PDB file of all heavy atoms in Angstrom:
ATOM      1  N   PHE H 152     -28.838  11.737  22.937  1.00 97.00           N
ATOM      2  CA  PHE H 152     -29.119  13.105  23.407  1.00 97.00           C
ATOM      3  C   PHE H 152     -30.601  13.351  23.468  1.00 97.00           C
ATOM      4  O   PHE H 152     -31.387  12.779  22.725  1.00 97.00           O
ATOM      5  CB  PHE H 152     -28.422  14.158  22.518  1.00 97.00           C
ATOM      6  CG  PHE H 152     -26.963  14.293  22.800  1.00 97.00           C
ATOM      7  CD1 PHE H 152     -26.044  13.934  21.873  1.00 97.00           C
ATOM      8  CD2 PHE H 152     -26.511  14.848  24.005  1.00 97.00           C
ATOM      9  CE1 PHE H 152     -24.645  14.052  22.124  1.00 97.00           C
ATOM     10  CE2 PHE H 152     -25.142  15.035  24.279  1.00 97.00           C
ATOM     11  CZ  PHE H 152     -24.198  14.567  23.340  1.00 97.00           C
ATOM     12  N   THR H 248     -19.199  19.051  20.445  1.00 96.00           N
ATOM     13  CA  THR H 248     -18.542  18.394  21.580  1.00 96.00           C
ATOM     14  C   THR H 248     -18.514  19.386  22.786  1.00 96.00           C
ATOM     15  O   THR H 248     -18.675  20.612  22.584  1.00 96.00           O
ATOM     16  CB  THR H 248     -17.135  17.930  21.204  1.00 96.00           C
ATOM     17  OG1 THR H 248     -16.650  17.096  22.257  1.00 96.00           O
ATOM     18  CG2 THR H 248     -16.176  19.072  20.995  1.00 96.00           C
ATOM     19  N   SER H 249     -18.340  18.796  23.961  1.00 91.00           N
ATOM     20  CA  SER H 249     -18.432  19.661  25.151  1.00 91.00           C
ATOM     21  C   SER H 249     -17.062  20.185  25.523  1.00 91.00           C
ATOM     22  O   SER H 249     -16.046  19.530  25.323  1.00 91.00           O
ATOM     23  CB  SER H 249     -18.924  18.822  26.307  1.00 91.00           C
ATOM     24  OG  SER H 249     -20.250  18.407  26.041  1.00 91.00           O
ATOM     25  N   GLY H 250     -17.083  21.367  26.107  1.00 84.00           N
ATOM     26  CA  GLY H 250     -15.817  21.946  26.651  1.00 84.00           C
ATOM     27  C   GLY H 250     -16.015  22.306  28.089  1.00 84.00           C
ATOM     28  O   GLY H 250     -17.028  21.954  28.681  1.00 84.00           O
ATOM     29  N   SER H 251     -15.041  23.092  28.581  1.00 80.00           N
ATOM     30  CA  SER H 251     -15.149  23.358  29.990  1.00 80.00           C
ATOM     31  C   SER H 251     -16.145  24.509  30.328  1.00 80.00           C
ATOM     32  O   SER H 251     -16.584  24.650  31.433  1.00 80.00           O
ATOM     33  CB  SER H 251     -13.767  23.697  30.606  1.00 80.00           C
ATOM     34  OG  SER H 251     -12.989  24.393  29.674  1.00 80.00           O
ATOM     35  N   TRP H 293     -20.363   9.885  17.199  1.00 98.00           N
ATOM     36  CA  TRP H 293     -19.164  10.478  17.760  1.00 98.00           C
ATOM     37  C   TRP H 293     -18.086  10.573  16.712  1.00 98.00           C
ATOM     38  O   TRP H 293     -18.168   9.905  15.651  1.00 98.00           O
ATOM     39  CB  TRP H 293     -18.659   9.617  18.946  1.00 98.00           C
ATOM     40  CG  TRP H 293     -19.712   9.318  19.959  1.00 98.00           C
ATOM     41  CD1 TRP H 293     -20.322   8.159  20.194  1.00 98.00           C
ATOM     42  CD2 TRP H 293     -20.299  10.260  20.892  1.00 98.00           C
ATOM     43  NE1 TRP H 293     -21.247   8.268  21.234  1.00 98.00           N
ATOM     44  CE2 TRP H 293     -21.238   9.551  21.634  1.00 98.00           C
ATOM     45  CE3 TRP H 293     -20.101  11.627  21.154  1.00 98.00           C
ATOM     46  CZ2 TRP H 293     -22.008  10.153  22.675  1.00 98.00           C
ATOM     47  CZ3 TRP H 293     -20.899  12.230  22.161  1.00 98.00           C
ATOM     48  CH2 TRP H 293     -21.817  11.485  22.879  1.00 98.00           C
ATOM     49  N   ASP H 503     -12.067  21.487  33.014  1.00 90.00           N
ATOM     50  CA  ASP H 503     -13.332  21.066  33.612  1.00 90.00           C
ATOM     51  C   ASP H 503     -14.197  20.191  32.707  1.00 90.00           C
ATOM     52  O   ASP H 503     -15.394  20.404  32.592  1.00 90.00           O
ATOM     53  CB  ASP H 503     -14.098  22.299  34.090  1.00 90.00           C
ATOM     54  CG  ASP H 503     -13.403  22.926  35.295  1.00 90.00           C
ATOM     55  OD1 ASP H 503     -12.793  22.177  36.071  1.00 90.00           O
ATOM     56  OD2 ASP H 503     -13.424  24.140  35.402  1.00 90.00           O
ATOM     57  N   VAL H 504     -13.525  19.287  31.997  1.00 94.00           N
ATOM     58  CA  VAL H 504     -14.253  18.323  31.159  1.00 94.00           C
ATOM     59  C   VAL H 504     -14.151  16.983  31.831  1.00 94.00           C
ATOM     60  O   VAL H 504     -13.054  16.648  32.281  1.00 94.00           O
ATOM     61  CB  VAL H 504     -13.663  18.321  29.713  1.00 94.00           C
ATOM     62  CG1 VAL H 504     -14.255  17.150  28.934  1.00 94.00           C
ATOM     63  CG2 VAL H 504     -13.916  19.634  29.024  1.00 94.00           C
ATOM     64  N   ILE H 505     -15.198  16.229  31.862  1.00 95.00           N
ATOM     65  CA  ILE H 505     -15.179  14.957  32.581  1.00 95.00           C
ATOM     66  C   ILE H 505     -15.419  13.887  31.475  1.00 95.00           C
ATOM     67  O   ILE H 505     -16.295  14.030  30.617  1.00 95.00           O
ATOM     68  CB  ILE H 505     -16.227  14.916  33.691  1.00 95.00           C
ATOM     69  CG1 ILE H 505     -15.912  16.027  34.694  1.00 95.00           C
ATOM     70  CG2 ILE H 505     -16.218  13.581  34.376  1.00 95.00           C
ATOM     71  CD1 ILE H 505     -16.963  16.250  35.736  1.00 95.00           C
ATOM     72  N   ASN H 506     -14.662  12.801  31.562  1.00 95.00           N
ATOM     73  CA  ASN H 506     -14.747  11.748  30.593  1.00 95.00           C
ATOM     74  C   ASN H 506     -15.515  10.559  31.193  1.00 95.00           C
ATOM     75  O   ASN H 506     -14.952   9.743  31.932  1.00 95.00           O
ATOM     76  CB  ASN H 506     -13.333  11.348  30.137  1.00 95.00           C
ATOM     77  CG  ASN H 506     -13.365  10.500  28.873  1.00 95.00           C
ATOM     78  OD1 ASN H 506     -14.261   9.774  28.640  1.00 95.00           O
ATOM     79  ND2 ASN H 506     -12.311  10.654  28.086  1.00 95.00           N
ATOM     80  N   VAL H 507     -16.779  10.459  30.883  1.00 95.00           N
ATOM     81  CA  VAL H 507     -17.627   9.429  31.466  1.00 95.00           C
ATOM     82  C   VAL H 507     -17.906   8.377  30.333  1.00 95.00           C
ATOM     83  O   VAL H 507     -18.463   8.733  29.330  1.00 95.00           O
ATOM     84  CB  VAL H 507     -19.015   9.976  31.956  1.00 95.00           C
ATOM     85  CG1 VAL H 507     -19.831   8.834  32.563  1.00 95.00           C
ATOM     86  CG2 VAL H 507     -18.800  11.093  32.918  1.00 95.00           C
ATOM     87  N   SER H 508     -17.391   7.150  30.557  1.00 93.00           N
ATOM     88  CA  SER H 508     -17.530   6.088  29.548  1.00 93.00           C
ATOM     89  C   SER H 508     -17.068   6.589  28.157  1.00 93.00           C
ATOM     90  O   SER H 508     -17.628   6.273  27.148  1.00 93.00           O
ATOM     91  CB  SER H 508     -19.001   5.649  29.406  1.00 93.00           C
ATOM     92  OG  SER H 508     -19.463   5.179  30.651  1.00 93.00           O
ATOM     93  N   GLY H 509     -15.940   7.375  28.152  1.00 91.00           N
ATOM     94  CA  GLY H 509     -15.432   7.816  26.888  1.00 91.00           C
ATOM     95  C   GLY H 509     -16.210   8.994  26.309  1.00 91.00           C
ATOM     96  O   GLY H 509     -15.887   9.446  25.234  1.00 91.00           O
ATOM     97  N   HIS H 510     -17.257   9.469  27.003  1.00 94.00           N
ATOM     98  CA  HIS H 510     -17.984  10.628  26.493  1.00 94.00           C
ATOM     99  C   HIS H 510     -17.552  11.889  27.200  1.00 94.00           C
ATOM    100  O   HIS H 510     -17.470  11.884  28.443  1.00 94.00           O
ATOM    101  CB  HIS H 510     -19.489  10.434  26.685  1.00 94.00           C
ATOM    102  CG  HIS H 510     -20.018   9.237  25.979  1.00 94.00           C
ATOM    103  ND1 HIS H 510     -21.058   8.435  26.496  1.00 94.00           N
ATOM    104  CD2 HIS H 510     -19.692   8.656  24.831  1.00 94.00           C
ATOM    105  CE1 HIS H 510     -21.318   7.466  25.670  1.00 94.00           C
ATOM    106  NE2 HIS H 510     -20.497   7.547  24.640  1.00 94.00           N
ATOM    107  N   ARG H 511     -17.358  12.945  26.462  1.00 93.00           N
ATOM    108  CA  ARG H 511     -16.942  14.160  27.054  1.00 93.00           C
ATOM    109  C   ARG H 511     -18.131  14.942  27.595  1.00 93.00           C
ATOM    110  O   ARG H 511     -19.062  15.253  26.872  1.00 93.00           O
ATOM    111  CB  ARG H 511     -16.308  15.016  25.954  1.00 93.00           C
ATOM    112  CG  ARG H 511     -14.849  14.961  25.933  1.00 93.00           C
ATOM    113  CD  ARG H 511     -14.365  15.473  24.619  1.00 93.00           C
ATOM    114  NE  ARG H 511     -14.268  16.902  24.594  1.00 93.00           N
ATOM    115  CZ  ARG H 511     -13.569  17.587  23.700  1.00 93.00           C
ATOM    116  NH1 ARG H 511     -12.937  16.949  22.760  1.00 93.00           N
ATOM    117  NH2 ARG H 511     -13.521  18.887  23.733  1.00 93.00           N
ATOM    118  N   ILE H 512     -18.073  15.231  28.874  1.00 95.00           N
ATOM    119  CA  ILE H 512     -19.166  15.970  29.486  1.00 95.00           C
ATOM    120  C   ILE H 512     -18.563  17.235  30.106  1.00 95.00           C
ATOM    121  O   ILE H 512     -17.606  17.146  30.869  1.00 95.00           O
ATOM    122  CB  ILE H 512     -19.832  15.141  30.641  1.00 95.00           C
ATOM    123  CG1 ILE H 512     -20.079  13.685  30.152  1.00 95.00           C
ATOM    124  CG2 ILE H 512     -21.065  15.834  31.181  1.00 95.00           C
ATOM    125  CD1 ILE H 512     -21.399  13.376  29.562  1.00 95.00           C
ATOM    126  N   GLY H 513     -19.144  18.395  29.802  1.00 94.00           N
ATOM    127  CA  GLY H 513     -18.694  19.644  30.372  1.00 94.00           C
ATOM    128  C   GLY H 513     -19.370  19.889  31.704  1.00 94.00           C
ATOM    129  O   GLY H 513     -20.579  19.766  31.796  1.00 94.00           O
ATOM    130  N   THR H 514     -18.573  20.205  32.706  1.00 93.00           N
ATOM    131  CA  THR H 514     -19.182  20.486  34.051  1.00 93.00           C
ATOM    132  C   THR H 514     -20.204  21.586  33.949  1.00 93.00           C
ATOM    133  O   THR H 514     -21.277  21.511  34.556  1.00 93.00           O
ATOM    134  CB  THR H 514     -18.100  20.821  35.074  1.00 93.00           C
ATOM    135  OG1 THR H 514     -17.267  21.826  34.469  1.00 93.00           O
ATOM    136  CG2 THR H 514     -17.269  19.664  35.497  1.00 93.00           C
ATOM    137  N   ALA H 515     -19.887  22.613  33.174  1.00 91.00           N
ATOM    138  CA  ALA H 515     -20.765  23.768  33.123  1.00 91.00           C
ATOM    139  C   ALA H 515     -22.173  23.432  32.555  1.00 91.00           C
ATOM    140  O   ALA H 515     -23.173  23.898  33.071  1.00 91.00           O
ATOM    141  CB  ALA H 515     -20.147  24.843  32.184  1.00 91.00           C
ATOM    142  N   GLU H 516     -22.155  22.548  31.548  1.00 93.00           N
ATOM    143  CA  GLU H 516     -23.428  22.109  30.967  1.00 93.00           C
ATOM    144  C   GLU H 516     -24.312  21.397  31.983  1.00 93.00           C
ATOM    145  O   GLU H 516     -25.527  21.635  32.066  1.00 93.00           O
ATOM    146  CB  GLU H 516     -23.106  21.050  29.929  1.00 93.00           C
ATOM    147  CG  GLU H 516     -23.133  21.459  28.506  1.00 93.00           C
ATOM    148  CD  GLU H 516     -22.698  20.222  27.668  1.00 93.00           C
ATOM    149  OE1 GLU H 516     -21.482  19.929  27.651  1.00 93.00           O
ATOM    150  OE2 GLU H 516     -23.613  19.522  27.209  1.00 93.00           O
ATOM    151  N   VAL H 517     -23.672  20.488  32.762  1.00 96.00           N
ATOM    152  CA  VAL H 517     -24.451  19.709  33.741  1.00 96.00           C
ATOM    153  C   VAL H 517     -24.907  20.654  34.891  1.00 96.00           C
ATOM    154  O   VAL H 517     -26.070  20.581  35.303  1.00 96.00           O
ATOM    155  CB  VAL H 517     -23.606  18.526  34.297  1.00 96.00           C
ATOM    156  CG1 VAL H 517     -24.478  17.654  35.197  1.00 96.00           C
ATOM    157  CG2 VAL H 517     -23.001  17.725  33.182  1.00 96.00           C
ATOM    158  N   VAL H 532     -20.183  20.372  39.793  1.00 96.00           N
ATOM    159  CA  VAL H 532     -20.067  19.014  39.349  1.00 96.00           C
ATOM    160  C   VAL H 532     -18.590  18.635  39.217  1.00 96.00           C
ATOM    161  O   VAL H 532     -17.798  19.442  38.703  1.00 96.00           O
ATOM    162  CB  VAL H 532     -20.789  18.770  38.004  1.00 96.00           C
ATOM    163  CG1 VAL H 532     -20.519  17.396  37.453  1.00 96.00           C
ATOM    164  CG2 VAL H 532     -22.319  18.928  38.250  1.00 96.00           C
ATOM    165  N   LEU H 544     -20.028  11.179  37.477  1.00 97.00           N
ATOM    166  CA  LEU H 544     -20.333  12.538  37.860  1.00 97.00           C
ATOM    167  C   LEU H 544     -20.900  12.628  39.298  1.00 97.00           C
ATOM    168  O   LEU H 544     -21.798  11.884  39.645  1.00 97.00           O
ATOM    169  CB  LEU H 544     -21.360  13.176  36.922  1.00 97.00           C
ATOM    170  CG  LEU H 544     -20.978  13.214  35.434  1.00 97.00           C
ATOM    171  CD1 LEU H 544     -22.128  13.755  34.578  1.00 97.00           C
ATOM    172  CD2 LEU H 544     -19.749  14.098  35.258  1.00 97.00           C
ATOM    173  N   ILE H 572     -30.087  17.224  28.742  1.00 96.00           N
ATOM    174  CA  ILE H 572     -28.928  16.805  27.987  1.00 96.00           C
ATOM    175  C   ILE H 572     -29.060  15.430  27.383  1.00 96.00           C
ATOM    176  O   ILE H 572     -28.992  15.204  26.173  1.00 96.00           O
ATOM    177  CB  ILE H 572     -27.629  16.812  28.843  1.00 96.00           C
ATOM    178  CG1 ILE H 572     -27.370  18.189  29.491  1.00 96.00           C
ATOM    179  CG2 ILE H 572     -26.369  16.399  28.013  1.00 96.00           C
ATOM    180  CD1 ILE H 572     -26.304  18.248  30.528  1.00 96.00           C
ATOM    181  N   GLY H 573     -29.351  14.434  28.269  1.00 96.00           N
ATOM    182  CA  GLY H 573     -29.480  13.065  27.831  1.00 96.00           C
ATOM    183  C   GLY H 573     -28.968  12.197  28.998  1.00 96.00           C
ATOM    184  O   GLY H 573     -28.275  12.693  29.888  1.00 96.00           O
ATOM    185  N   ILE H 575     -26.686  10.134  29.216  1.00 94.00           N
ATOM    186  CA  ILE H 575     -25.234   9.993  29.385  1.00 94.00           C
ATOM    187  C   ILE H 575     -24.645  10.976  30.460  1.00 94.00           C
ATOM    188  O   ILE H 575     -23.563  10.736  30.893  1.00 94.00           O
ATOM    189  CB  ILE H 575     -24.484  10.185  28.039  1.00 94.00           C
ATOM    190  CG1 ILE H 575     -24.800  11.541  27.425  1.00 94.00           C
ATOM    191  CG2 ILE H 575     -24.719   9.092  27.090  1.00 94.00           C
ATOM    192  CD1 ILE H 575     -23.918  11.861  26.222  1.00 94.00           C
ATOM    193  N   ALA H 576     -25.413  12.018  30.790  1.00 96.00           N
ATOM    194  CA  ALA H 576     -24.865  12.967  31.750  1.00 96.00           C
ATOM    195  C   ALA H 576     -25.446  12.824  33.123  1.00 96.00           C
ATOM    196  O   ALA H 576     -25.321  13.708  33.973  1.00 96.00           O
ATOM    197  CB  ALA H 576     -25.062  14.399  31.214  1.00 96.00           C
ATOM    198  N   LYS H 577     -26.074  11.658  33.412  1.00 97.00           N
ATOM    199  CA  LYS H 577     -26.705  11.484  34.719  1.00 97.00           C
ATOM    200  C   LYS H 577     -25.641  11.427  35.854  1.00 97.00           C
ATOM    201  O   LYS H 577     -24.557  10.900  35.669  1.00 97.00           O
ATOM    202  CB  LYS H 577     -27.508  10.174  34.751  1.00 97.00           C
ATOM    203  CG  LYS H 577     -28.897  10.458  34.153  1.00 97.00           C
ATOM    204  CD  LYS H 577     -29.977   9.458  34.343  1.00 97.00           C
ATOM    205  CE  LYS H 577     -29.881   8.065  34.575  1.00 97.00           C
ATOM    206  NZ  LYS H 577     -31.090   7.314  34.309  1.00 97.00           N
TER     207      LYS H 577
END
Side-chain angles (χ1 to χ4, degrees):
F152 281 112
T248 190
S249 296
S251 36
W293 309 109
D503 290 326
V504 171
I505 301 172
N506 195 327
V507 182
S508 301
H510 300 145
R511 262 163 84 163
I512 314 270
T514 47
E516 258 176 281
V517 186
V532 170
L544 301 175
I572 304 172
I575 55 172
K577 276 194 337 197

